[in-house]
Every structure is written in C-alpha cells, then in structure tokens.
Amino acid sequence: MLEIEDLTAQAGGFRLGGVSLAVAEGECHAVLGPSGSGKSTLLNAVLGTLPVVSGRVLLFGEDITRLPIERRHLGYVPQHLGLFPHLTVLDNLTYSARARRVPEAEYRPLLDRLTEITGIGALLDRRIATLSGGERQRVALVRALAANPRLVLLDEPFTALNESLRRELWWLVKDLQRERGLTVLMVTHDLTEAHFLAERITVLIDGRQAQSGDKHAVYRRPANTAVARFLGLKNLFPARVLEAGGVDCPLLGGRIGVTGSTLPAGEAWLAIRAEHVALRTPADPPREGETRLNGRFEAVLDLGESALLRFRAATGAVLEVRCGSRVLRKYRLQPGDAGVVGLPANDLFVIPATTPAA
Amino acid sequence: MKGLRASIAAALLVLALYAGLIVSLAWFLDGAILRETLLSERTLFSVRLSLLAATLATVLALLLAIPAAYALSRHRFPGREATETVLEFPIIVSPAALGAILLIFFNNPLGEWIQENVLYFVFGFAGIVLAQFVTVLGLAVRMLKAAFDEVPVELETVARTLGASPWHGFFTITLPLAKNGLIAAFILTWAKALGEFGATLMVAGSMAMRTETLPIAIYLRLSNADLEGTVALILILVTIGLTALYVARRLLGKAAYA
C-alpha cells in the first residue's frame, strides 16, 4: 500500500539516506529512533514538505514522490497537532470538506461516526483555546480521519500528554484503526507506544535505516548494537563466536551455550535483555543451558510495577536485571547483598560486531 | 531597589520630555487662530491631501509588502539576505536622502522616460505618494514579516494535507491568524506616511495648495513665522498620529489567536 523505495532526503545539513520500507493496508508501522535520527525527515518526505533527493514514495502503486501535498490525500497529525486556533472545533473538522468542496451529505456520516467514537460531539462549537490537552488530541485525530485519507501520518502526537491520557488515546487509535481499517505510519521515540500501536517497526540511527521488521523480532533480535542500545538493551558484552559452536565471553565466565545463533565464527557481542536475567538463590538446582553468575547487587530500585537492579558479577560483568516487584519482595534484596543470577541459553543472543558498543 | 526606582524615573522622564514639548505648544495656542486655521480651506486641503496620499501610499506599500514579507518569512531563496538588508535602508538613510535619490533618478534617461510616458511624479501628487511609498515600504515589509513569522508553518502544512491549495491555505489560515499584525502594520505604516516630510519635500516640493501635505504646511507656516498657525497644524498631525498609534497598540496588545 505504502512503499518507500531507497529514499534519500535532505533537511538543511542533515541527510536521510537509503530508506526502504513497506506498510500494508490496515497496518500500523512505527518509525523509531533517537533524536536527530531522521524520523521526522522521513515523515516529511512522505508528507511532501521536504524534497526527495532520490528514491520513490508509492501509495497504492501511484508514485506520489513529486505530488503536491494537497493531492496526496494523507491524514496528518503533527506533534503540536496543528489545530487552527481561529476556528471552532466543527470548522476545524470540516475544513477539508470545505477546501475540497465535498457536499455535507457526503462527509457528514463519517464525521458523525468519528465524533461519536471519540466522544467530542459536545465540543463542536468550542474554540480550540478552550479545549484540554486530551480533547485537542481527539479533535486533531478526527480532523485527519474525517478527510478519509489513504494513509495517516502521526508525528509523535502523544508526546506532551501524561501517561494515563496517552494510554487512553492509544486505545482510541487502536479502536479507530480496527474499525476504519486505517493504514498508519507513525513516528515516535517511545518504544512502548510503538509496541502498543504498531505491528512492524523501522529503527533509524544517524540518518540510516538500521533495522525494519516485525516489532517482536526487532525487539528480541536487534540487528546491531546501536539498535540494541536504542531499544534499551544494556547487557552487551564483547564475545567471540566459536567455530565449534557456542560463544566465548570472558566477562560472563568463558564459554557459553547460545541457542539459535547463526553468526559465523568471529568477533561479536553477547546480549541478554534485563527482564530475561533470572534471580536465583545458591540453593536453586542448576537448570539446563543456564549460565549462573555469582556476584553482588549494587543497586536495587523498586519502580512500583517492576524493579530494576544492577548486578556486578564476580567475573567483572555488570548486568541490569528487571523483575516484577513481587519477585523483588520474595528475594528481599537490598543494595550490597550477595546473590546469584541465571542467564537462560534461550534468551542469550549474539549481535554482529558491526558497530562498536563503547 | 534603587536601580528599579532610577529606571522608573528614566521612563517617566521620557514621558515628561515628550508631553512637555507638546504642552509647551500651548504658549502659542490662540483659540481664535486655532479655529480659523482648522477651518481654513488651505488647512482642509492639507488634511485631505495628507490623508489621501498616506492612504494610497500605504495601500500600495502593503500590496507589495504582503507577498514580499510572506516570501521572506517562509522561503529560503537566492537574494533573501540581501532583500532583508535592503529593508533597513529607509531606516539608515534619511528620508531627505531617499527623496534626493528619487529626484536624481527622475533626471536620468529612464526616469525621464517614465515621467514622459507613464506618470509624472516630480512636483505633483504622484510624487508625494511615491516619496511616502518608498519611505514606508521597508517598515511595512518588516512588520508584516514579523506577523507572518508568528503563524506556525505547521498550520499551513496541515491545511494542505486537508486538501487546501497553498492559496486557499494562505487566505483561510495564514491571513486570518496574522490579521492583527496586518492591521497594526497598516496603521503604523499609514501614520509614518502621514508624517513623512523629507522625501516629500525633495520629490514634490513645497507648493501651497498643491503639494502642501500637513508636514509641508507646518514647514511653510514656520518659515513665515506664523507660530500660531504652526501650532494648530501640529496639533492636527499629533492628534491623528497618536490616535493611530493608540489603535495599533491596542491591536498589537491582543493575543494573536484571540
């Protein structure tokens, strides 16, 4: 449905190069990346506000790379929402219909349905300045969708909201996406938001496409250390893939069995997500394929729903451990306590040494 | 605390200086002469001429300034910086020098051709309008650019994603949101044109009942040592100017999105 082919775009001194991705009809695709990675540049190139240096943007097979913005039929919700402050909510919502001279009988049923789903029916006569943050988000969403766009572009529209309101709006977008079969390309730096809303993700790092794919696959198996670090992976250790199988990682005590690694022998990084590091006691019987490390908990942080711990192994490795608050209470861990952690072979994975992890 | 008092005292001194100068006019204020001057045909001619020329010069300046200011606010193009620098030109160069430049221009072959085949400017009404136009154009562009800068580009982009052409977006989003700035620019530009003297004197001269705008009339009366008449004309000019500035301040004081 949306196909971006080897797209290169220039924004001032910044260059976004060689991005290729496809978004299927009815799918939500999230573009993730740290600040300055090129997320907004990519969105602006699709939107048409930024000239494309090379490559193509295809929408339903039609090349829209050089098409004027108003002829692309895209729905757009920018970070600051772009609501027209001199117009009422209703005038904002019907702006597209008036600009395109669509008769009321044609646009009204969809508009009524959208205002009903989003619960903004009572706001129609209000001025934008009188709306709350959540109400503004809803109005901006409905305005973009009321034009019946072929593709919806979301540019971090929920960034400024508090956690509770954000979740509420995520559900709303999810519901709208399901009911309207929306195809969405969204930009965010929030991994949770991307996981909630998107099926597939693309990670941009320093203006390059670092990885694209199913969100679970990218999360579980980052393509390189830059992606891994952006996705919040702290437990990365220099290692060597052995020809005989397994991985030699001195910081984790030497040779370790890793399930499913297809990397050729040579330098690599051994990684495990913080939530996959298991808390153990010296009395726990050994488990097959699990690497045990003795050491000391340097820091213990109870975050409410979960807990974050920093563990320094006797081998010298420092690991981040995430567990449920209940688990933390069960083990009654305090900073400075000696302890044992387990690294299941299934959860350890190898990342190619293409980018330095320093 | 002492610093605050000193700065407030300085602000009040500024007020006292200008208010004192205006109040000092009362020394030569004669009720009978004031009434006679205000109602004289010559004064009414000056008022009419000034209002007409200033309005025409302002409208013409805004017609050019609106697209120019919009381009400067929204686009990067070759010559943009040079254009912005030229806008300072009427501020740096005195109006008399600007008028002299215009007069010299109309003495070169191209200027003479324009005078003979398009419109005669020197020592005529068109000359007054042109002198005021050239003097206020830079100010108009600067003020309008500031007004357009206040309107986020994002709103125009959203309007276009909703199907609006750039023109439609400009007239339905940008222009209404820049409305207060536009009105303020019109009033201040008009007030400056109304008080313009140097360039008008150079291009249009100081002919009574012909090119006698209010500032020129003040100059002519003062030249003839008619202090009472001068005071009456100054009061007219000051009243019109202050009213315009008051209206502009009220508009500029309002929130842009109110």
Side-chain angles (χ1 to χ4, degrees):
Chain A
M1 187 253 184
L2 172 72
E3 291 163 88
I4 298 172
E5 294 179 351
D6 200 18
L7 185 96
T8 297
Q10 187 90 26
F14 178 81
R15 194 178 186 88
L16 172 75
V19 175
S20 297
L21 61 90
V23 185
E25 197 170 355
E27 178 184 280
C28 178
H29 191 113
V31 179
L32 281 155
S35 296
S37 60
K39 304 186 296 288
S40 291
T41 305
L42 176 62
L43 200 79
N44 288 333
V46 175
L47 190 63
T49 54
L50 210 59
V52 169
V53 177
S54 64
R56 294 197 305 168
V57 180
L58 303 170
L59 194 59
F60 285 107
E62 179 195 1
D63 189 346
I64 62 163
T65 319
R66 318 261 172 232
L67 211 59
I69 303 170
E70 60 272 22
R71 286 173 52 198
R72 297 186 181 209
H73 285 275
L74 305 172
Y76 174 49
V77 183
Q79 194 172 351
H80 302 294
L81 306 178
L83 291 169
F84 306 137
H86 59 305
L87 303 179
T88 63
V89 170
L90 182 63
D91 287 341
N92 266 275
L93 300 183
T94 54
Y95 183 87
S96 175
R98 280 180 279 119
R100 294 195 168 112
R101 298 174 197 278
V102 179
E104 188 173 352
E106 269 182 47
Y107 72 77
R108 201 73 210 198
L110 174 59
L111 184 62
D112 287 345
R113 179 67 189 135
L114 289 169
T115 51
E116 185 192 330
I117 299 172
T118 52
I120 60 166
L123 308 175
L124 297 180
D125 294 328
R126 299 257 298 269
R127 286 261 169 185
I128 300 302
T130 66
L131 303 181
S132 69
E135 288 168 343
R136 287 178 195 212
Q137 303 275 346
R138 287 162 194 269
V139 172
L141 266 174
V142 172
R143 185 181 61 178
L145 303 184
N148 209 8
R150 299 191 286 179
L151 170 74
V152 180
L153 302 172
L154 304 178
D155 188 1
E156 307 199 43
F158 310 118
T159 306
L161 299 176
N162 65 50
E163 187 65 23
S164 150
L165 203 52
R166 252 148 58 97
R167 288 197 183 198
E168 197 181 314
L169 284 157
W170 289 351
W171 281 114
L172 179 65
V173 171
K174 205 82 181 159
D175 290 344
L176 284 168
Q177 201 197 348
R178 198 167 39 235
E179 179 173 322
R180 311 289 323 157
L182 298 177
T183 309
V184 180
L185 179 67
M186 68 177 295
V187 155
T188 181
H189 62 265
D190 184 341
L191 192 59
T192 314
E193 186 169 274
H195 262 274
F196 192 104
L197 293 171
E199 287 85 39
R200 294 172 67 82
I201 61 176
T202 289
V203 181
L204 299 179
I205 306 277
D206 293 334
R208 310 294 301 181
Q209 184 173 6
Q211 193 171 3
S212 277
D214 173 79
K215 63 181 173 187
H216 301 298
V218 174
Y219 184 72
R220 287 195 195 119
R221 296 291 180 264
N224 56 49
T225 50
V227 175
R229 283 176 190 282
F230 173 71
L231 297 178
L233 210 155
K234 294 277 191 290
N235 301 327
L236 281 166
F237 306 99
R240 167 172 284 277
V241 178
L242 303 171
E243 281 194 29
V247 174
D248 179 35
C249 181
L251 274 174
L252 297 183
R255 186 170 173 174
I256 291 177
V258 176
T259 314
S261 170
T262 54
L263 283 186
E267 299 296 324
W269 293 88
L270 189 59
I272 185 165
R273 303 205 75 89
E275 62 268 31
H276 293 151
V277 179
L279 292 178
R280 302 284 183 235
T281 64
D284 285 340
R287 298 187 184 201
E288 194 184 339
E290 184 176 277
T291 302
R292 290 279 171 95
L293 295 172
N294 293 306
R296 198 168 289 282
F297 290 96
E298 290 185 337
V300 178
L301 284 171
D302 192 340
L303 304 174
E305 289 178 2
S306 64
L308 205 58
L309 305 94
R310 194 167 67 224
F311 180 79
R312 184 177 291 276
T315 54
V318 176
L319 289 107
E320 193 175 87
V321 184
R322 186 181 283 273
C323 63
S325 286
R326 281 187 180 185
V327 178
L328 181 69
R329 281 194 287 276
K330 178 184 155 193
Y331 283 88
R332 293 179 184 171
L333 287 171
Q334 296 293 327
D337 284 355
V340 181
V341 296
L343 314 177
N346 282 343
D347 295 318
L348 281 162
F349 57 96
V350 182
I351 297 173
T354 49
T355 48
Chain B
M1 202 61 189
K2 272 186 179 177
L4 177 66
R5 278 187 193 148
S7 63
I8 292 172
L12 292 175
L13 186 65
V14 171
L15 174 68
L17 178 71
Y18 286 107
L21 284 172
I22 292 171
V23 170
S24 73
L25 295 174
W27 188 260
F28 290 100
L29 195 60
D30 182 303
I33 296 177
L34 178 66
R35 200 162 38 250
E36 185 193 323
T37 309
L38 288 179
L39 297 174
S40 77
E41 197 184 328
R42 193 174 161 189
T43 302
L44 290 175
F45 172 85
S46 290
V47 171
R48 273 198 304 271
L49 181 67
S50 285
L51 294 179
L52 186 64
T55 306
L56 206 54
T58 304
V59 169
L60 291 173
L62 290 187
L63 282 177
L64 182 59
I66 288 174
Y70 185 73
L72 289 168
S73 172
R74 291 293 191 261
H75 303 295
R76 309 243 165 255
F77 54 89
R80 182 177 179 273
E81 298 226 337
T83 311
E84 286 217 63
T85 308
V86 164
L87 296 181
E88 315 281 344
F89 192 62
I91 297 165
I92 299 162
V93 179
S94 82
L98 269 180
I101 292 170
L102 280 172
L103 199 59
I104 292 165
F105 170 77
F106 285 118
N107 279 292
N108 75 25
L110 176 63
E112 282 176 356
W113 184 87
I114 290 172
Q115 293 247 88
E116 284 165 17
N117 298 290
V118 182
L119 192 60
Y120 202 86
F121 287 96
V122 178
F123 303 127
F125 176 72
I128 299 171
V129 175
L130 180 66
Q132 292 180 352
F133 170 83
V134 170
T135 313
V136 301
L137 182 62
L139 174 74
V141 176
R142 282 164 62 92
M143 289 194 67
L144 291 171
K145 182 181 175 294
F148 288 134
D149 284 345
E150 288 291 311
V151 181
V153 183
E154 185 179 80
L155 298 184
E156 293 173 6
T157 304
V158 170
R160 291 190 66 191
T161 64
L162 293 169
S165 66
W167 280 104
H168 188 83
F170 178 77
F171 283 110
T172 55
I173 305 298
T174 316
L175 217 50
L177 287 175
K179 184 185 70 186
N180 287 345
L182 287 170
I183 295 171
F186 179 88
I187 292 170
L188 289 178
T189 305
W190 181 81
K192 187 168 167 60
L194 192 75
E196 209 296 310
F197 172 71
T200 308
L201 184 70
M202 289 290 161
V203 180
S206 55
M207 289 172 281
M209 295 293 285
R210 196 167 157 203
T211 61
E212 193 182 7
T213 60
L214 273 172
I216 298 283
I218 291 169
Y219 166 72
L220 289 176
R221 296 234 181 199
L222 199 61
S223 302
N224 293 329
D226 175 8
L227 292 182
E228 289 80 6
T230 305
V231 167
L233 292 176
I234 289 171
L235 287 177
I236 295 171
L237 197 59
V238 166
T239 305
I240 297 172
L242 284 180
T243 308
L245 286 175
Y246 175 74
V247 174
R249 279 183 72 90
R250 288 293 300 267
L251 288 172
L252 283 173
K254 280 187 185 174
Y257 300 149

